Amino acid sequence: MRNVIVTGVPRADAAVVNQLAELGVATVHEAIGRAGYLGPGLRPIQDGVRTGGTAVTALCWPGDNLMIHAAVEQCQAGDLLVVTATSPCTDGMFGELLATSLAARGVRGLVIEAGVRDVAELRAMGFGVWSAAVSAQGTVKETAGSVNVPVSIGGQIVRPGDAIIADDDGVVCVPRALAAATLDAARKREANEADKRAKLASGVLGLDMYKMREPLAAAGLRYID
Amino acid sequence: MRNVIVTGVPRADAAVVNQLAELGVATVHEAIGRAGYLGPGLRPIQDGVRTGGTAVTALCWPGDNLMIHAAVEQCQAGDLLVVTATSPCTDGMFGELLATSLAARGVRGLVIEAGVRDVAELRAMGFGVWSAAVSAQGTVKETAGSVNVPVSIGGQIVRPGDAIIADDDGVVCVPRALAAATLDAARKREANEADKRAKLASGVLGLDMYKMREPLAAAGLRYID
Amino acid sequence: MRNVIVTGVPRADAAVVNQLAELGVATVHEAIGRAGYLGPGLRPIQDGVRTGGTAVTALCWPGDNLMIHAAVEQCQAGDLLVVTATSPCTDGMFGELLATSLAARGVRGLVIEAGVRDVAELRAMGFGVWSAAVSAQGTVKETAGSVNVPVSIGGQIVRPGDAIIADDDGVVCVPRALAAATLDAARKREANEADKRAKLASGVLGLDMYKMREPLAAAGLRYID
Amino acid sequence: MRNVIVTGVPRADAAVVNQLAELGVATVHEAIGRAGYLGPGLRPIQDGVRTGGTAVTALCWPGDNLMIHAAVEQCQAGDLLVVTATSPCTDGMFGELLATSLAARGVRGLVIEAGVRDVAELRAMGFGVWSAAVSAQGTVKETAGSVNVPVSIGGQIVRPGDAIIADDDGVVCVPRALAAATLDAARKREANEADKRAKLASGVLGLDMYKMREPLAAAGLRYID
Amino acid sequence: MRNVIVTGVPRADAAVVNQLAELGVATVHEAIGRAGYLGPGLRPIQDGVRTGGTAVTALCWPGDNLMIHAAVEQCQAGDLLVVTATSPCTDGMFGELLATSLAARGVRGLVIEAGVRDVAELRAMGFGVWSAAVSAQGTVKETAGSVNVPVSIGGQIVRPGDAIIADDDGVVCVPRALAAATLDAARKREANEADKRAKLASGVLGLDMYKMREPLAAAGLRYID
Amino acid sequence: MRNVIVTGVPRADAAVVNQLAELGVATVHEAIGRAGYLGPGLRPIQDGVRTGGTAVTALCWPGDNLMIHAAVEQCQAGDLLVVTATSPCTDGMFGELLATSLAARGVRGLVIEAGVRDVAELRAMGFGVWSAAVSAQGTVKETAGSVNVPVSIGGQIVRPGDAIIADDDGVVCVPRALAAATLDAARKREANEADKRAKLASGVLGLDMYKMREPLAAAGLRYID
């Protein structure tokens, strides 16, 4: 398990990623079979941003952001940088300067299972960030890690080149090979939801719309007064 | 302990609940004797909303929102839906479609000791939500639980029909039988606070206003330079 | 370890504190050698406020805010009140009335490793608060603690009279004796950052700017395709 | 919500409680319909103890064990003391002296959603304790709470007089009115388990014994090589 | 992302796994380059057990142990069952009956990022368990998941057939392809440690043995009196 | 805030420390006025060990144990090594080799607000350890910190040379200047407890022994049936 930087990683199709981004995290997560959600521990530092990109991954040592610098070079327009650490870490591994560097390359945002700082400046720049913490605690640049290896975040596996969608609900990862099929499924779900929404708004109950009354009775549920 | 749905639950008086809501969570919590606060773990997904309603409770299995659907039918105008799970759960049990259904019935909002999703849409709808997490993680609809049984949230007992008040400070539960007396006590406290506020703004110290100097000295507190 | 209130505490120089405040938490934290950050557990209840002041410290019993009242008397214009408890506590130890009292004395804000309430009112007042929790849970006024003794918050030691800087990134403590030297170091860092920012925006990589390529290679990092 | 001590509380039948205790926490929890488990946060301070008793409840202020002293007087032989606080608390509210007092009254053990201390002495005494923490942090005796009111622990409601069973798996609460029926169900389950155990030991698969293959196939599960 | 059971998974070499197990978790973790440790959240329910096996993985729905039953059939002698859930879960997904079934197949133990119950019985059986929680909370058998897919536990990726080593220090995963090379490296480290141990026991300082004095001085470390 | 190693630190009197150790953590904590307890987060890796020593402190970078090596040289017989990190860290910073080195110098044990590994070996050696975690995760030796500076652990300040007492209840720190007075107070408390214990064992109630009935009545507590 040598420290490596993998270059020339194939990316999920950009047009597909952009369309997945429009559909949003919850819809995409359902469309891939309720999978890939990176957990409620990753929160946006801003409200109302919905974006998507292809993953460049960085695996850092706790308290050390050296590999984020190494990862920047691997990023290209349309990517989203995904960072984690080999041990749990809340330090402020990322701030305004790194965001400036990423923005200059056309990177869409940052997903980090650690802390970020300069959040006022990042919000002002419009650079989207989803993080596990906000922390001004600084880091060193001493210990090598890896770039563009598979990483584990929030109980999910993220591989370089996967599609990453992020909005106010958090972050979801769609495996590169499933991106197109997921887009199809997500669109069907979206179309289907408009119809459901109208019914529910008119007063139809989910109990009836989803035909739950019978299984509930079969499960022994009783109504009492 | 069969799974049950209790129907026709008596509610706290609507006029009393509305007036409690105007007074806010902190004042009402003090008025019932520093009790009923559902803890700092329940946070609003929006800023600046203060509301109140009568509790319809739903007890779900973790990762399963079947009983929320069953609870919707028991909700009426002026209610507030209160959801918890039999084990700790952060999944996104509730989203825009369920909110549409509740809004169609005049329900005032949601209190949930689990996760919610579609938060951008919920904020846009103006549907007030207090939750333990934001999560896009979807749930199944497989296992029965109960509706309108007493539940335990944040170390407090919530019974169906109790008055629930929620604002930026969190959520408080007022037992139905105590609602009117609590309103009286809360109004007295409110009136009293205006006077205190004026004194403190003029520079009077709490040490003097609350007559704390003597007990502090009796407790052996010393001033040193 | 008698309970004491220390009076006449020397403060960090007000002009220095004000200038540190302008530079912000992350810059100041780096300038004192990556030290003094009170951790990601203290979050602002408001967005976009940057302030600084000299610490008056209060050490309370859990569930008891008696010593906050005692601390108010020790506060003067330009101070920032710093509160913690002898055991972990999330209760709402501080609210609008205490803020009114502090504002009347020219206190700049509150840092509390416990809960606060009346957050809507505090935001409306423009009184800056950094806290470990928002909670309406009320407290008693029964047990003595201390005012203006050294306290430990977020793994850091805060001494009365230290400079406290707070913004959207959290809170940092600068020891009184180091305040002037820290201001010098912070200004140099600030000046330096403008240059770095311009380079990174133009596409220069951190890998090159910080001369990291050689140490990375020496550490055995390999590039693979 | 006045502070009260409720006396003369009816208890679950002692013989039933003793027999439930022999069956253990997991079996009893299943027998009441997978309910009443006080959560994984309550851990025994000793290994290998299985006991049961009738609940005397104490509701304390955080950092204050006054009501444990008040509760001792309400305890009788065969009881188990159940303590919680109005806010989360890990302080060492209970130690060897209180255990001496309870043991003198024939109390079977302690369940506490807070901390205990003197654990070496408690283990030596053979006084069974299930707690949320071990902590030497001392408490005051200043603020009144209640004894023998319903309390909420680990998301469950415990009422005075309920049957409490505790062993290495944690603690379960059986409502007094359901104790006898639960014992019947638990015995049936126990008898049933011996048969299952023998089958599984002989190599029969749960997949076959519980007839899960068909529903799994119906759910779309595929076997791939 | 269909639910699947992958059969006929290739395993790491049994002889290699057995020898890795003898060397223990800390040594093996270092030997693969400080990687693969499943985190401090997985704790043994027993003391003094050191074991190893090849991973069969099960991915369950929270509160649902259906896929553990399905996984048993895929287990063979020398395996170690590795279980996680699609969302965080502390429920008691595993107990004595499942352990009986696994022991009958020659399975070496269980690693589960969720809860277990019947811990007294499991200890008495001598069936080794490393879990995230002990909990009597029961689960349903309703929702399909997967068996022998890659899973993410404690920030690490575990693939079916990988070598899993577990002892009092926790659990480490060695990728199947790296097992032999890791064994070589671990043995070298082990041999090396005996020499270091003797030196340190004789009073030689790590500062000298690891030649740290120069880099510390270079880093600006000063000795003061 | 340069990185420093402070040498020649004055220690609390050894005879006093040894006698404090005999009295145990809970008694000593009470004797210094319910102060100095390092919190329930530090747990012994062994049962039944009670010890005490004078603090040598080490402040490390997260994921880096370089300064533990530097601290060993500052340790002498009768010391207890106290380690923390500049950010929260659970990595296994300490194991058998470092314990061998410390034992060779007569050090009494380790208190660490981070992880340890080789716990089976440490228990076998009889080297007492109190830690925040058990973790096999290895650390680097790259970044300088400090030795024998004041550190903050569990909300308490520990200064080099302070008396540290540790047993099954956790760890307490007695400031060097207060050690002798604390020993006097602790002995009085101890003597006093024997009398209380006898009374409670004979059935006298704490309510009467501590004269709590009157204040409880004055607080408005009511007895109801």
Side-chain angles (χ1 to χ4, degrees), chain A residues 176-222:
Chain A
R176 185 168 60 94
L178 302 179
T182 300
L183 179 57
D184 283 350
R187 277 184 179 148
K188 274 179 203 136
R189 189 179 162 87
E190 178 91 338
N192 192 12
E193 288 219 336
D195 179 53
K196 285 186 194 170
R197 191 178 299 117
K199 278 189 188 155
L200 294 169
S202 77
V204 174
L205 287 171
L207 276 181
D208 296 310
M209 194 170 78
Y210 299 112
K211 301 188 195 310
M212 295 169 181
R213 292 191 192 273
E214 224 174 291
L216 276 172
L221 184 78
R222 283 182 308 140

Side-chain angles (χ1 to χ4, degrees), chain A residues 104-223:
Chain A
R105 299 177 82 83
V107 174
R108 301 255 176 102
L110 172 79
V111 172
I112 182 166
E113 203 178 30
V116 293
R117 60 186 187 180
D118 303 332
V119 295
E121 291 79 3
L122 293 170
R123 288 169 184 153
M125 286 173 68
F127 187 83
V129 172
W130 287 256
S131 73
V134 171
S135 171
Q137 180 68 38
T139 51
V140 295
K141 299 173 185 27
E142 294 288 348
T143 301
S146 292
V147 172
N148 276 338
V149 296
V151 294
S152 162
I153 298 188
Q156 304 296 324
I157 301 170
V158 177
R159 293 182 175 83
D162 283 351
I164 305 293
I165 313 301
D167 64 17
D168 289 336
D169 287 343
V171 185
V172 68
C173 171
V174 182
R176 185 168 60 94
L178 302 179
T182 300
L183 179 57
D184 283 350
R187 277 184 179 148
K188 274 179 203 136
R189 189 179 162 87
E190 178 91 338
N192 192 12
E193 288 219 336
D195 179 53
K196 285 186 194 170
R197 191 178 299 117
K199 278 189 188 155
L200 294 169
S202 77
V204 174
L205 287 171
L207 276 181
D208 296 310
M209 194 170 78
Y210 299 112
K211 301 188 195 310
M212 295 169 181
R213 292 191 192 273
E214 224 174 291
L216 276 172
L221 184 78
R222 283 182 308 140
Y223 285 75

Side-chain angles (χ1 to χ4, degrees), chain C residues 21-162:
Chain C
E22 281 171 27
L23 293 162
V25 170
T27 297
V28 170
H29 159 74
E30 289 283 336
I32 44 170
R34 292 197 189 114
Y37 182 61
L38 303 192
L42 292 185
R43 299 296 305 139
I45 65 163
Q46 68 286 315
D47 283 343
V49 173
R50 176 170 282 182
T51 192
T54 38
V56 167
T57 66
L59 181 59
C60 295
W61 205 251
D64 191 314
N65 73 351
L66 176 57
M67 298 315 288
I68 300 184
H69 291 278
V72 171
E73 190 178 26
Q74 305 307 316
C75 289
Q76 59 190 49
D79 283 341
L80 218 145
L81 182 57
V82 177
V83 178
T84 188
T86 53
S87 296
C89 177
T90 60
D91 293 345
M93 287 192 168
F94 184 96
E96 180 216 358
L97 288 182
L98 277 163
T100 300
S101 202
L102 288 178
R105 299 177 82 83
V107 174
R108 300 252 175 104
L110 173 79
V111 171
I112 182 166
E113 202 178 31
V116 293
R117 60 186 188 181
D118 302 331
V119 295
E121 290 79 2
L122 293 169
R123 288 169 185 154
M125 286 173 69
F127 187 83
V129 173
W130 288 257
S131 73
V134 171
S135 171
Q137 180 69 37
T139 51
V140 296
K141 298 173 185 30
E142 293 288 349
T143 301
S146 291
V147 172
N148 277 337
V149 295
V151 294
S152 162
I153 298 188
Q156 306 296 325
I157 302 171
V158 178
R159 292 183 177 84
D162 284 350

Side-chain angles (χ1 to χ4, degrees), chain B residues 1-2 32-36 40 61 85-86 88 113 150-159 175 178, chain D residues 1-2 32-36 40 61 85-86 88 113 150-159 175 178:
Chain B
M1 273 213 176
R2 304 288 319 169
I32 44 171
R34 292 196 190 116
W61 204 251
T86 53
E113 201 178 32
V151 294
S152 162
I153 298 188
Q156 304 297 324
I157 302 170
V158 178
R159 294 183 175 82
L178 302 179
Chain D
M1 275 214 172
R2 303 289 319 173
I32 44 171
R34 291 197 190 116
W61 204 253
T86 52
E113 201 178 33
V151 293
S152 162
I153 297 187
Q156 305 296 325
I157 301 170
V158 178
R159 293 183 176 83
L178 301 179

Side-chain angles (χ1 to χ4, degrees), chain E residues 59-82:
Chain E
L59 181 59
C60 296
W61 204 251
D64 191 313
N65 72 351
L66 176 57
M67 298 316 289
I68 300 184
H69 291 278
V72 171
E73 191 177 25
Q74 305 308 316
C75 290
Q76 57 190 49
D79 283 341
L80 218 145
L81 183 57
V82 177

